Coordinates of all heavy atoms in Angstrom, one line a residue:
M1233 N -1.5 44.1 11.2 CA -1.5 42.7 10.8 C -0.3 42.5 9.8 O 0.0 43.3 9.0 CB -2.8 42.4 10.0 CG -2.8 41.0 9.5 SD -4.5 40.6 9.0 CE -4.3 40.3 7.3
V1234 N 0.5 41.4 10.1 CA 1.6 41.1 9.2 C 1.3 40.0 8.3 O 0.8 38.9 8.7 CB 2.8 40.7 10.2 CG1 4.0 40.4 9.3 CG2 3.2 41.8 11.1
T1235 N 1.5 40.3 7.0 CA 1.2 39.2 6.0 C 2.5 38.4 5.7 O 3.6 38.8 6.1 CB 0.7 39.9 4.7 OG1 1.8 40.7 4.2 CG2 -0.5 40.6 5.0
R1236 N 2.3 37.3 5.0 CA 3.4 36.4 4.6 C 4.4 37.2 3.7 O 5.6 37.0 3.7 CB 2.9 35.2 4.0 CG 2.5 34.1 5.0 CD 2.2 32.8 4.4 NE 1.0 32.8 3.8 CZ 0.6 31.9 2.8 NH1 1.4 31.0 2.4 NH2 -0.6 32.0 2.3
Q1237 N 3.8 38.1 2.8 CA 4.6 38.8 1.9 C 5.5 39.7 2.6 O 6.7 39.9 2.3 CB 3.7 39.5 0.9 CG 4.6 40.2 -0.2 CD 3.7 40.9 -1.2 OE1 2.5 40.9 -1.1 NE2 4.3 41.4 -2.3
Q1238 N 5.1 40.3 3.7 CA 5.9 41.3 4.4 C 7.0 40.5 5.2 O 8.1 41.1 5.4 CB 5.0 42.1 5.4 CG 4.1 43.0 4.8 CD 3.1 43.6 5.8 OE1 2.9 43.0 6.8 NE2 2.4 44.6 5.4
T1239 N 6.8 39.3 5.6 CA 7.8 38.6 6.4 C 8.8 37.8 5.4 O 9.8 37.3 5.8 CB 7.2 37.5 7.3 OG1 6.4 36.6 6.6 CG2 6.3 38.2 8.3
G1240 N 8.4 37.8 4.1 CA 9.2 37.1 3.1 C 8.9 35.6 3.0 O 9.6 34.9 2.2
K1241 N 8.0 35.1 3.7 CA 7.6 33.7 3.6 C 6.3 33.6 2.7 O 5.2 33.8 3.2 CB 7.3 33.1 4.9 CG 8.5 33.0 5.8 CD 8.2 32.3 7.1 CE 9.4 32.2 8.0 NZ 9.1 31.6 9.2
L1242 N 6.6 33.4 1.4 CA 5.4 33.4 0.5 C 4.7 32.0 0.4 O 3.5 32.0 0.1 CB 5.9 33.8 -0.9 CG 6.5 35.2 -1.0 CD1 7.0 35.4 -2.4 CD2 5.5 36.2 -0.6
K1243 N 5.4 31.0 0.7 CA 4.8 29.6 0.7 C 4.9 29.1 2.1 O 5.9 29.2 2.8 CB 5.4 28.7 -0.2 CG 5.2 29.0 -1.6 CD 5.7 28.1 -2.7 CE 6.7 27.1 -2.3 NZ 7.2 26.2 -3.5
P1244 N 3.8 28.3 2.6 CA 3.9 27.7 3.9 C 5.0 26.6 3.9 O 5.3 26.0 2.8 CB 2.6 27.1 4.1 CG 1.8 27.4 3.0 CD 2.5 28.1 2.0
Q1245 N 5.7 26.5 5.0 CA 6.8 25.5 5.1 C 6.2 24.1 5.0 O 5.2 23.8 5.5 CB 7.6 25.6 6.3 CG 8.4 27.0 6.3 CD 9.3 27.0 7.5 OE1 9.2 26.1 8.4 NE2 10.0 28.0 7.6
T1246 N 6.8 23.2 4.2 CA 6.4 21.8 4.2 C 6.9 21.1 5.4 O 7.9 21.4 6.0 CB 7.0 21.1 2.9 OG1 8.4 21.3 3.0 CG2 6.5 21.8 1.7
P1247 N 6.1 20.0 5.8 CA 6.5 19.2 6.9 C 7.8 18.5 6.7 O 8.1 18.3 5.5 CB 5.3 18.3 7.2 CG 4.6 18.3 5.9 CD 4.9 19.6 5.3
W1248 N 8.5 18.1 7.7 CA 9.8 17.4 7.6 C 9.5 16.0 7.0 O 8.6 15.3 7.3 CB 10.4 17.2 9.0 CG 11.7 16.4 8.9 CD1 12.9 16.9 8.7 CD2 11.9 15.1 9.2 NE1 13.8 15.9 8.7 CE2 13.2 14.7 9.0 CE3 11.0 14.0 9.5 CZ2 13.7 13.5 9.1 CZ3 11.4 12.7 9.6 CH2 12.8 12.5 9.4
S1249 N 10.4 15.7 6.0 CA 10.3 14.3 5.5 C 11.8 13.7 5.5 O 12.7 14.5 5.2 CB 9.8 14.4 4.0 OG 10.6 15.2 3.2
P1250 N 11.8 12.5 5.8 CA 13.2 11.8 5.8 C 13.8 11.8 4.4 O 13.1 11.6 3.4 CB 12.9 10.4 6.3 CG 11.5 10.2 6.0 CD 10.8 11.5 6.1
K1251 N 15.1 12.0 4.4 CA 15.8 12.0 3.0 C 16.0 10.5 2.6 O 16.2 9.6 3.5 CB 17.1 12.7 3.2 CG 17.0 14.2 3.4 CD 18.3 14.8 3.4 CE 18.1 16.4 3.7 NZ 19.4 17.0 3.7
L1252 N 16.0 10.3 1.4 CA 16.2 9.0 0.8 C 17.7 8.6 1.0 O 18.6 9.4 0.8 CB 15.9 8.9 -0.6 CG 14.4 9.0 -1.0 CD1 14.3 9.0 -2.5 CD2 13.6 7.9 -0.4
N1253 N 18.0 7.4 1.4 CA 19.3 6.9 1.5 C 19.4 5.6 0.7 O 18.5 5.3 0.0 CB 19.7 6.7 3.0 CG 18.8 5.7 3.7 OD1 18.1 4.9 3.1 ND2 18.7 5.8 5.0
N1254 N 20.6 5.0 0.8 CA 20.8 3.8 -0.1 C 19.8 2.7 0.3 O 19.5 1.9 -0.6 CB 22.3 3.3 0.1 CG 23.2 4.3 -0.5 OD1 22.9 5.1 -1.3 ND2 24.5 4.3 0.0
V1255 N 19.4 2.6 1.5 CA 18.5 1.5 1.9 C 17.1 1.7 1.3 O 16.6 0.8 0.7 CB 18.4 1.4 3.5 CG1 17.4 0.3 3.8 CG2 19.7 1.1 4.0
T1256 N 16.6 2.9 1.4 CA 15.2 3.1 0.8 C 15.2 3.1 -0.7 O 14.2 2.8 -1.3 CB 14.7 4.5 1.3 OG1 15.5 5.5 1.0 CG2 14.5 4.5 2.9
A1257 N 16.4 3.4 -1.3 CA 16.4 3.5 -2.8 C 16.6 2.1 -3.4 O 16.5 2.0 -4.6 CB 17.5 4.4 -3.2
S1258 N 16.9 1.1 -2.5 CA 17.2 -0.2 -3.1 C 16.0 -1.1 -3.3 O 16.1 -2.2 -3.9 CB 18.2 -0.9 -2.1 OG 17.5 -1.2 -0.9
F1259 N 14.8 -0.7 -2.9 CA 13.6 -1.6 -3.1 C 12.7 -0.8 -4.1 O 12.7 0.4 -4.3 CB 12.9 -1.9 -1.9 CG 12.4 -0.7 -1.1 CD1 11.2 -0.2 -1.4 CD2 13.1 -0.2 0.0 CE1 10.7 0.9 -0.7 CE2 12.7 0.9 0.7 CZ 11.5 1.4 0.3
S1260 N 11.7 -1.6 -4.7 CA 10.7 -1.0 -5.5 C 9.4 -1.6 -5.1 O 9.3 -2.8 -4.8 CB 11.0 -1.3 -7.0 OG 11.0 -2.7 -7.3
V1261 N 8.4 -0.8 -5.2 CA 7.0 -1.3 -4.9 C 6.3 -1.7 -6.2 O 6.2 -0.9 -7.1 CB 6.2 -0.2 -4.2 CG1 4.9 -0.6 -3.8 CG2 7.0 0.2 -2.9
P1262 N 5.8 -2.9 -6.2 CA 5.1 -3.3 -7.5 C 3.8 -2.5 -7.7 O 3.1 -2.1 -6.7 CB 4.8 -4.8 -7.2 CG 4.9 -5.0 -5.8 CD 5.8 -4.0 -5.2
S1263 N 3.4 -2.4 -8.9 CA 2.1 -1.6 -9.2 C 1.0 -2.6 -9.5 O -0.2 -2.1 -9.6 CB 2.3 -0.7 -10.3 OG 2.7 -1.4 -11.5
C1264 N 1.3 -3.9 -9.7 CA 0.2 -4.9 -10.0 C 0.6 -6.2 -9.5 O 1.7 -6.5 -9.0 CB -0.1 -4.9 -11.5 SG 1.4 -5.5 -12.4
Y1265 N -0.4 -7.1 -9.5 CA -0.2 -8.4 -9.0 C 0.9 -9.2 -9.7 O 1.7 -9.9 -9.1 CB -1.5 -9.2 -9.1 CG -1.4 -10.7 -8.8 CD1 -1.4 -11.1 -7.4 CD2 -1.3 -11.6 -9.7 CE1 -1.3 -12.5 -7.1 CE2 -1.2 -13.0 -9.4 CZ -1.2 -13.4 -8.1 OH -1.1 -14.7 -7.8
T1266 N 1.0 -9.1 -11.0 CA 1.9 -9.8 -11.8 C 3.3 -9.5 -11.5 O 4.2 -10.4 -11.6 CB 1.7 -9.7 -13.4 OG1 1.6 -8.3 -13.7 CG2 0.3 -10.2 -13.8
Q1267 N 3.6 -8.2 -11.1 CA 4.9 -7.9 -10.7 C 5.2 -8.4 -9.3 O 6.3 -8.9 -9.0 CB 5.1 -6.3 -10.7 CG 5.1 -5.7 -12.0 CD 5.0 -4.2 -12.0 OE1 5.0 -3.6 -10.8 NE2 5.1 -3.5 -13.1
A1268 N 4.2 -8.3 -8.4 CA 4.4 -8.7 -7.0 C 4.6 -10.2 -6.9 O 5.4 -10.7 -6.0 CB 3.2 -8.3 -6.2
V1269 N 4.0 -11.0 -7.7 CA 4.0 -12.5 -7.5 C 5.4 -13.1 -7.8 O 5.7 -14.2 -7.4 CB 2.9 -13.2 -8.3 CG1 3.2 -13.2 -9.8 CG2 2.6 -14.5 -7.8
K1270 N 6.2 -12.3 -8.6 CA 7.6 -12.7 -8.9 C 8.6 -12.7 -7.7 O 9.5 -13.3 -7.7 CB 8.1 -11.9 -10.0 CG 7.3 -12.1 -11.3 CD 7.8 -11.2 -12.4 CE 6.9 -11.3 -13.7 NZ 7.3 -10.4 -14.7
D1271 N 8.2 -11.8 -6.7 CA 9.1 -11.7 -5.6 C 8.6 -12.5 -4.4 O 7.4 -12.3 -4.0 CB 9.2 -10.1 -5.2 CG 10.2 -9.9 -4.1 OD1 10.8 -10.8 -3.6 OD2 10.4 -8.7 -3.9
P1272 N 9.4 -13.3 -3.8 CA 8.9 -14.1 -2.6 C 8.5 -13.2 -1.4 O 7.6 -13.6 -0.7 CB 10.1 -15.0 -2.3 CG 11.3 -14.4 -3.0 CD 10.8 -13.6 -4.1
N1273 N 9.1 -12.1 -1.2 CA 8.7 -11.2 -0.1 C 7.3 -10.7 -0.3 O 6.5 -10.7 0.6 CB 9.6 -10.0 0.0 CG 11.1 -10.3 0.4 OD1 11.2 -11.2 1.2 ND2 12.0 -9.7 -0.2
W1274 N 6.9 -10.3 -1.5 CA 5.6 -9.8 -1.7 C 4.6 -11.0 -1.7 O 3.5 -10.8 -1.3 CB 5.5 -9.1 -3.1 CG 6.2 -7.8 -3.0 CD1 7.3 -7.4 -3.7 CD2 5.8 -6.7 -2.2 NE1 7.7 -6.2 -3.4 CE2 6.8 -5.7 -2.5 CE3 4.9 -6.4 -1.3 CZ2 6.8 -4.4 -1.9 CZ3 4.8 -5.2 -0.7 CH2 5.8 -4.2 -1.0
R1275 N 5.0 -12.2 -2.2 CA 4.1 -13.3 -2.1 C 3.7 -13.7 -0.6 O 2.6 -13.9 -0.3 CB 4.7 -14.6 -2.8 CG 4.6 -14.6 -4.3 CD 4.7 -16.0 -4.8 NE 6.1 -16.6 -4.5 CZ 7.2 -16.5 -5.2 NH1 7.2 -15.9 -6.4 NH2 8.3 -17.0 -4.8
D1276 N 4.8 -13.7 0.2 CA 4.5 -13.9 1.6 C 3.6 -12.9 2.2 O 2.7 -13.2 3.0 CB 5.9 -13.9 2.4 CG 6.7 -15.1 2.1 OD1 6.2 -16.1 1.5 OD2 7.9 -15.0 2.3
A1277 N 3.7 -11.6 1.9 CA 2.9 -10.5 2.4 C 1.4 -10.8 1.9 O 0.5 -10.6 2.6 CB 3.4 -9.2 1.9
M1278 N 1.3 -11.2 0.6 CA -0.1 -11.5 0.2 C -0.7 -12.7 0.9 O -1.9 -12.7 1.2 CB -0.1 -11.7 -1.3 CG 0.2 -10.5 -2.2 SD 0.0 -10.7 -3.9 CE 1.5 -11.6 -4.3
I1279 N 0.0 -13.7 1.1 CA -0.5 -14.9 1.9 C -0.8 -14.5 3.3 O -1.9 -14.9 3.8 CB 0.6 -16.0 1.9 CG1 0.7 -16.6 0.5 CG2 0.2 -17.1 2.9 CD1 1.9 -17.5 0.3
Q1280 N -0.1 -13.7 4.0 CA -0.4 -13.2 5.3 C -1.7 -12.4 5.3 O -2.5 -12.5 6.2 CB 0.8 -12.3 5.9 CG 2.0 -13.1 6.2 CD 3.1 -12.2 6.7 OE1 3.0 -11.0 6.8 NE2 4.2 -12.8 7.0
E1281 N -1.9 -11.6 4.3 CA -3.1 -10.8 4.2 C -4.3 -11.7 4.0 O -5.3 -11.5 4.6 CB -3.0 -9.8 3.0 CG -4.2 -9.0 2.7 CD -4.6 -8.0 3.8 OE1 -3.9 -7.8 4.7 OE2 -5.7 -7.3 3.6
L1282 N -4.2 -12.7 3.1 CA -5.4 -13.5 2.9 C -5.7 -14.4 4.1 O -6.8 -14.5 4.5 CB -5.0 -14.5 1.7 CG -5.1 -13.9 0.3 CD1 -4.6 -14.9 -0.8 CD2 -6.5 -13.4 0.0
N1283 N -4.6 -14.8 4.8 CA -4.9 -15.6 6.1 C -5.5 -14.7 7.1 O -6.5 -15.2 7.8 CB -3.6 -16.1 6.6 CG -3.1 -17.3 5.8 OD1 -3.8 -17.9 5.0 ND2 -1.8 -17.5 5.9
A1284 N -5.1 -13.4 7.2 CA -5.8 -12.5 8.2 C -7.2 -12.3 7.8 O -8.1 -12.2 8.7 CB -5.0 -11.2 8.2
L1285 N -7.5 -12.1 6.5 CA -8.9 -11.9 6.1 C -9.8 -13.2 6.4 O -11.0 -13.0 6.9 CB -9.0 -11.6 4.6 CG -8.4 -10.2 4.2 CD1 -8.4 -10.1 2.7 CD2 -9.2 -9.1 4.9
I1286 N -9.3 -14.3 6.2 CA -10.0 -15.6 6.5 C -10.2 -15.7 8.0 O -11.3 -16.1 8.4 CB -9.3 -16.8 5.8 CG1 -9.4 -16.7 4.3 CG2 -9.9 -18.1 6.4 CD1 -8.5 -17.7 3.6
Q1287 N -9.2 -15.5 8.8 CA -9.3 -15.6 10.2 C -10.3 -14.7 10.8 O -11.0 -15.0 11.8 CB -8.0 -15.5 10.9 CG -7.1 -16.7 10.7 CD -5.7 -16.5 11.3 OE1 -5.4 -15.5 11.8 NE2 -4.9 -17.6 11.3
A1288 N -10.4 -13.4 10.2 CA -11.2 -12.4 10.8 C -12.7 -12.6 10.3 O -13.6 -11.9 10.8 CB -10.7 -11.0 10.4
G1289 N -12.9 -13.5 9.4 CA -14.2 -13.7 8.8 C -14.8 -12.6 8.0 O -15.9 -12.4 7.9
T1290 N -13.8 -11.9 7.4 CA -14.2 -10.8 6.5 C -15.0 -11.2 5.3 O -15.9 -10.5 4.9 CB -12.9 -10.1 6.0 OG1 -12.1 -9.7 7.2 CG2 -13.2 -8.8 5.2
W1291 N -14.6 -12.3 4.7 CA -15.4 -12.8 3.5 C -15.2 -14.3 3.5 O -14.4 -14.9 4.1 CB -14.8 -12.2 2.2 CG -13.4 -12.2 2.0 CD1 -12.5 -11.2 2.4 CD2 -12.6 -13.3 1.4 NE1 -11.2 -11.7 2.0 CE2 -11.3 -12.9 1.4 CE3 -13.0 -14.5 0.8 CZ2 -10.3 -13.7 0.9 CZ3 -12.0 -15.3 0.3 CH2 -10.7 -14.9 0.4
K1292 N -16.1 -14.9 2.6 CA -16.0 -16.3 2.4 C -16.4 -16.6 0.9 O -17.1 -15.7 0.3 CB -16.9 -17.1 3.3 CG -18.3 -16.7 3.2 CD -19.2 -17.4 4.3 CE -20.6 -16.9 4.2 NZ -21.5 -17.6 5.2
F1293 N -16.0 -17.7 0.4 CA -16.4 -18.0 -1.0 C -17.8 -18.6 -1.0 O -18.2 -19.4 -0.2 CB -15.5 -19.1 -1.5 CG -14.0 -18.6 -1.7 CD1 -13.0 -19.0 -0.9 CD2 -13.8 -17.8 -2.8 CE1 -11.7 -18.6 -1.1 CE2 -12.5 -17.3 -3.0 CZ -11.5 -17.6 -2.2
V1294 N -18.6 -18.1 -1.9 CA -20.0 -18.5 -2.1 C -20.2 -18.6 -3.6 O -19.5 -18.1 -4.4 CB -21.0 -17.5 -1.6 CG1 -20.9 -17.4 0.0 CG2 -20.8 -16.2 -2.1
P1295 N -21.2 -19.5 -4.1 CA -21.5 -19.5 -5.5 C -22.0 -18.2 -6.0 O -22.7 -17.5 -5.3 CB -22.6 -20.7 -5.5 CG -22.7 -21.2 -4.2 CD -22.0 -20.4 -3.2
R1296 N -21.6 -18.0 -7.3 CA -22.1 -16.7 -7.9 C -23.5 -16.8 -8.3 O -23.9 -17.7 -8.9 CB -21.2 -16.4 -9.1 CG -21.5 -15.2 -9.8 CD -20.7 -14.9 -10.9 NE -21.1 -13.7 -11.6 CZ -20.7 -13.2 -12.8 NH1 -19.8 -13.9 -13.4 NH2 -21.2 -12.1 -13.2
D1297 N -24.2 -15.7 -8.0 CA -25.6 -15.6 -8.4 C -25.6 -14.6 -9.6 O -25.1 -13.5 -9.5 CB -26.5 -15.0 -7.3 CG -27.9 -15.0 -7.6 OD1 -28.3 -15.5 -8.7 OD2 -28.7 -14.3 -6.9
K1298 N -26.2 -15.1 -10.7 CA -26.2 -14.3 -12.0 C -26.9 -13.0 -11.8 O -26.6 -12.1 -12.6 CB -26.8 -15.1 -13.1 CG -26.0 -16.4 -13.4 CD -24.7 -16.1 -14.0 CE -24.0 -17.4 -14.4 NZ -22.6 -17.2 -14.9
A1299 N -27.8 -12.9 -10.9 CA -28.6 -11.6 -10.8 C -27.8 -10.6 -10.0 O -28.2 -9.4 -10.0 CB -29.9 -11.9 -10.1
Q1300 N -26.7 -10.9 -9.4 CA -26.0 -9.9 -8.5 C -24.8 -9.4 -9.3 O -24.1 -10.2 -10.0 CB -25.6 -10.6 -7.2 CG -26.8 -10.9 -6.3 CD -26.4 -11.6 -5.0 OE1 -25.2 -12.2 -5.0 NE2 -27.2 -11.5 -4.1
N1301 N -24.4 -8.2 -9.0 CA -23.2 -7.6 -9.5 C -22.0 -8.1 -8.6 O -22.1 -8.2 -7.4 CB -23.2 -6.1 -9.5 CG -24.2 -5.6 -10.5 OD1 -24.5 -6.3 -11.5 ND2 -24.7 -4.4 -10.3
I1302 N -20.9 -8.3 -9.2 CA -19.7 -8.7 -8.5 C -18.8 -7.5 -8.3 O -18.5 -6.7 -9.3 CB -18.9 -9.8 -9.2 CG1 -19.8 -11.0 -9.6 CG2 -17.7 -10.2 -8.5 CD1 -20.3 -11.7 -8.3
V1303 N -18.3 -7.2 -7.1 CA -17.4 -6.2 -6.8 C -16.0 -6.8 -6.9 O -15.6 -7.7 -6.3 CB -17.6 -5.6 -5.4 CG1 -16.6 -4.5 -5.1 CG2 -19.0 -5.0 -5.3
G1304 N -15.2 -6.1 -7.7 CA -13.8 -6.6 -7.9 C -12.9 -6.2 -6.8 O -13.3 -5.4 -5.9
C1305 N -11.6 -6.6 -6.8 CA -10.7 -6.2 -5.8 C -9.4 -6.0 -6.5 O -9.1 -6.5 -7.6 CB -10.6 -7.2 -4.7 SG -10.2 -8.9 -5.2
K1306 N -8.4 -5.4 -5.8 CA -7.1 -5.2 -6.2 C -6.1 -5.2 -5.1 O -6.5 -4.9 -3.9 CB -7.0 -3.9 -7.1 CG -7.1 -2.7 -6.3 CD -6.9 -1.5 -7.2 CE -5.8 -0.6 -6.7 NZ -5.5 0.5 -7.5
W1307 N -4.9 -5.5 -5.4 CA -3.8 -5.4 -4.3 C -3.2 -4.1 -4.3 O -2.9 -3.5 -5.3 CB -2.8 -6.5 -4.7 CG -3.2 -7.9 -4.4 CD1 -3.7 -8.8 -5.3 CD2 -3.3 -8.6 -3.1 NE1 -4.0 -10.0 -4.7 CE2 -3.8 -9.9 -3.4 CE3 -3.0 -8.2 -1.9 CZ2 -3.9 -10.8 -2.4 CZ3 -3.2 -9.1 -0.8 CH2 -3.6 -10.4 -1.1
V1308 N -2.9 -3.6 -3.1 CA -2.2 -2.4 -2.9 C -0.9 -2.8 -2.0 O -1.1 -3.4 -1.0 CB -3.0 -1.4 -2.1 CG1 -2.3 -0.1 -1.8 CG2 -4.3 -1.0 -2.9
F1309 N 0.2 -2.4 -2.5 CA 1.5 -2.8 -1.9 C 2.2 -1.6 -1.3 O 2.2 -0.4 -1.9 CB 2.4 -3.4 -3.0 CG 1.7 -4.6 -3.6 CD1 1.2 -4.5 -4.9 CD2 1.7 -5.8 -3.0 CE1 0.6 -5.6 -5.5 CE2 1.1 -6.9 -3.6 CZ 0.6 -6.8 -4.8
R1310 N 2.7 -1.7 -0.1 CA 3.6 -0.7 0.6 C 4.7 -1.3 1.3 O 4.6 -2.5 1.7 CB 2.7 0.0 1.7 CG 1.5 0.7 1.2 CD 1.9 2.1 0.6 NE 0.7 2.8 0.2 CZ 0.3 2.9 -1.0 NH1 0.8 2.3 -1.9 NH2 -0.8 3.6 -1.3
V1311 N 5.8 -0.6 1.4 CA 6.9 -1.1 2.2 C 6.9 -0.3 3.5 O 7.0 1.0 3.5 CB 8.3 -0.9 1.4 CG1 9.4 -1.2 2.3 CG2 8.3 -1.7 0.2
K1312 N 6.9 -0.9 4.7 CA 6.9 -0.3 5.9 C 8.4 -0.2 6.3 O 9.1 -1.2 6.2 CB 6.1 -1.1 7.0 CG 4.7 -1.2 6.7 CD 4.0 0.1 6.7 CE 2.5 0.0 6.5 NZ 1.8 1.2 6.6
Q1313 N 8.8 1.0 6.8 CA 10.1 1.3 7.2 C 10.3 1.6 8.6 O 9.4 2.1 9.3 CB 10.7 2.5 6.4 CG 10.7 2.2 4.9 CD 11.2 3.4 4.1 OE1 10.7 4.5 4.4 NE2 12.2 3.3 3.3
K1314 N 11.5 1.3 9.2 CA 11.8 1.7 10.5 C 12.3 3.1 10.5 O 12.4 3.7 9.4 CB 13.0 0.8 11.0 CG 12.6 -0.7 11.1 CD 13.8 -1.5 11.6 CE 13.4 -3.0 11.7 NZ 14.5 -3.8 12.0
S1315 N 12.5 3.7 11.7 CA 12.8 5.1 11.8 C 14.2 5.4 11.1 O 14.4 6.5 10.7 CB 12.8 5.5 13.2 OG 13.7 4.7 13.9
N1316 N 15.1 4.4 11.0 CA 16.3 4.6 10.4 C 16.4 4.5 8.9 O 17.4 4.6 8.2 CB 17.4 3.8 11.0 CG 17.2 2.3 10.8 OD1 16.2 1.9 10.1 ND2 18.0 1.5 11.4
G1317 N 15.2 4.1 8.3 CA 15.0 4.0 6.9 C 15.2 2.6 6.4 O 14.9 2.3 5.2
S1318 N 15.5 1.6 7.2 CA 15.6 0.2 6.8 C 14.2 -0.4 6.7 O 13.3 0.1 7.2 CB 16.5 -0.6 7.8 OG 15.9 -0.6 9.0
I1319 N 14.1 -1.5 5.9 CA 12.9 -2.1 5.7 C 12.4 -2.9 6.9 O 13.1 -3.7 7.5 CB 13.0 -3.1 4.4 CG1 13.3 -2.3 3.2 CG2 11.7 -3.9 4.3 CD1 13.6 -3.2 2.0
D1320 N 11.2 -2.6 7.4 CA 10.6 -3.3 8.5 C 9.8 -4.5 8.0 O 10.0 -5.6 8.5 CB 9.7 -2.4 9.2 CG 9.1 -3.0 10.5 OD1 9.7 -3.9 11.0 OD2 8.0 -2.6 10.9
R1321 N 8.9 -4.2 7.0 CA 8.2 -5.4 6.4 C 7.5 -5.0 5.2 O 7.4 -3.8 4.9 CB 7.2 -5.9 7.4 CG 6.0 -5.0 7.7 CD 5.1 -5.6 8.8 NE 4.1 -4.6 9.1 CZ 2.8 -4.8 8.9 NH1 2.4 -5.9 8.3 NH2 1.9 -3.9 9.2
Y1322 N 7.1 -5.9 4.4 CA 6.4 -5.8 3.1 C 4.9 -5.9 3.5 O 4.5 -6.9 4.1 CB 6.8 -6.8 2.1 CG 8.2 -6.6 1.6 CD1 9.3 -7.2 2.3 CD2 8.5 -5.8 0.5 CE1 10.6 -7.0 1.9 CE2 9.8 -5.7 0.1 CZ 10.8 -6.3 0.7 OH 12.1 -6.1 0.3
K1323 N 4.1 -4.9 3.1 CA 2.6 -4.9 3.4 C 1.8 -5.0 2.1 O 2.0 -4.2 1.3 CB 2.3 -3.7 4.2 CG 0.9 -3.5 4.5 CD 0.5 -4.2 5.8 CE -0.9 -3.8 6.2 NZ -1.6 -4.9 6.7
A1324 N 0.9 -5.9 2.1 CA 0.0 -6.1 1.0 C -1.4 -6.0 1.5 O -1.7 -6.7 2.5 CB 0.3 -7.4 0.2
C1325 N -2.3 -5.2 0.8 CA -3.7 -5.1 1.3 C -4.5 -5.4 0.1 O -4.3 -4.9 -1.0 CB -4.0 -3.7 1.7 SG -3.1 -3.2 3.2
L1326 N -5.6 -6.2 0.3 CA -6.5 -6.6 -0.7 C -7.7 -5.7 -0.5 O -8.4 -5.7 0.6 CB -6.9 -8.0 -0.6 CG -7.9 -8.6 -1.7 CD1 -7.1 -8.5 -3.1 CD2 -8.3 -10.0 -1.4
V1327 N -8.0 -4.8 -1.4 CA -9.1 -3.8 -1.2 C -10.1 -4.0 -2.3 O -9.8 -4.3 -3.5 CB -8.5 -2.3 -1.3 CG1 -7.6 -2.1 -0.1 CG2 -7.8 -2.1 -2.6
A1328 N -11.3 -3.6 -2.0 CA -12.4 -3.7 -3.0 C -12.4 -2.5 -3.8 O -12.0 -1.4 -3.5 CB -13.8 -3.8 -2.2
K1329 N -12.8 -2.7 -5.1 CA -12.9 -1.6 -6.1 C -14.3 -0.9 -5.8 O -15.3 -1.3 -6.5 CB -12.8 -2.1 -7.5 CG -11.3 -2.6 -7.8 CD -11.4 -3.1 -9.3 CE -10.0 -3.6 -9.7 NZ -10.0 -4.0 -11.1
G1330 N -14.3 0.0 -5.0 CA -15.6 0.7 -4.6 C -16.1 1.5 -5.7 O -17.3 1.9 -5.7
Y1331 N -15.4 1.9 -6.7 CA -15.9 2.7 -7.8 C -16.7 2.0 -8.8 O -17.1 2.6 -9.8 CB -14.7 3.5 -8.4 CG -13.5 2.6 -8.9 CD1 -13.5 2.0 -10.1 CD2 -12.5 2.4 -8.0 CE1 -12.5 1.1 -10.5 CE2 -11.4 1.6 -8.4 CZ -11.4 1.0 -9.6 OH -10.4 0.2 -10.0
H1332 N -16.8 0.7 -8.7 CA -17.5 -0.1 -9.8 C -19.0 -0.1 -9.4 O -19.4 -0.3 -8.3 CB -17.0 -1.5 -9.9 CG -15.8 -1.6 -10.8 ND1 -15.1 -2.8 -10.9 CD2 -15.1 -0.7 -11.5 CE1 -14.1 -2.6 -11.8 NE2 -14.1 -1.3 -12.1

């Protein structure tokens, strides 16, 4: 049996990851709603997400019942890239805070 120490490979190799270039380094992903709302690209992404949720019938507005707990939500932001590293689109997801 040949061990990793005998072959000289002490750590498993990490999978390939694309290197950062000038295009990928030029954008920043917001960490909260107040940062995202200042950029029109992120605002458009949030509007698209809300429209998709409404069209899919995921949720609807109802009056609050004082006896029920309310589950909060938060925005998660990602930048989708093409294979060459350029920006494909801005993606915003509204997710429930399941830990509450």
Side-chain angles (χ1 to χ4, degrees):
M1233 181 167 117
V1234 178
T1235 64
R1236 282 191 279 160
Q1237 186 174 7
Q1238 292 170 342
T1239 62
K1241 294 183 180 180
L1242 298 178
K1243 291 187 344 185
Q1245 292 184 356
T1246 57
W1248 178 84
S1249 63
K1251 294 183 179 182
L1252 291 176
N1253 56 24
N1254 292 338
V1255 176
T1256 58
S1258 65
F1259 62 82
S1260 63
V1261 178
S1263 59
C1264 63
Y1265 172 80
T1266 54
Q1267 292 175 355
V1269 77
K1270 295 175 185 176
D1271 187 353
N1273 294 320
W1274 291 114
R1275 276 198 308 265
D1276 291 342
M1278 289 187 286
I1279 290 170
Q1280 289 176 2
E1281 174 72 3
L1282 287 174
N1283 288 338
L1285 291 173
I1286 291 170
Q1287 287 179 352
T1290 305
W1291 50 268
K1292 60 183 176 181
F1293 290 109
V1294 295
R1296 180 179 177 190
D1297 185 8
K1298 298 290 183 186
Q1300 294 177 338
N1301 292 332
I1302 303 296
V1303 176
C1305 59
K1306 69 179 234 174
W1307 286 100
V1308 178
F1309 303 100
R1310 298 279 186 261
V1311 174
K1312 299 293 184 175
Q1313 295 177 311
K1314 296 180 182 177
S1315 60
N1316 64 2
S1318 63
I1319 296 174
D1320 184 27
R1321 67 185 177 114
Y1322 293 85
K1323 177 82 171 144
C1325 294
L1326 187 63
V1327 296
K1329 292 182 181 178
Y1331 52 85
H1332 278 177

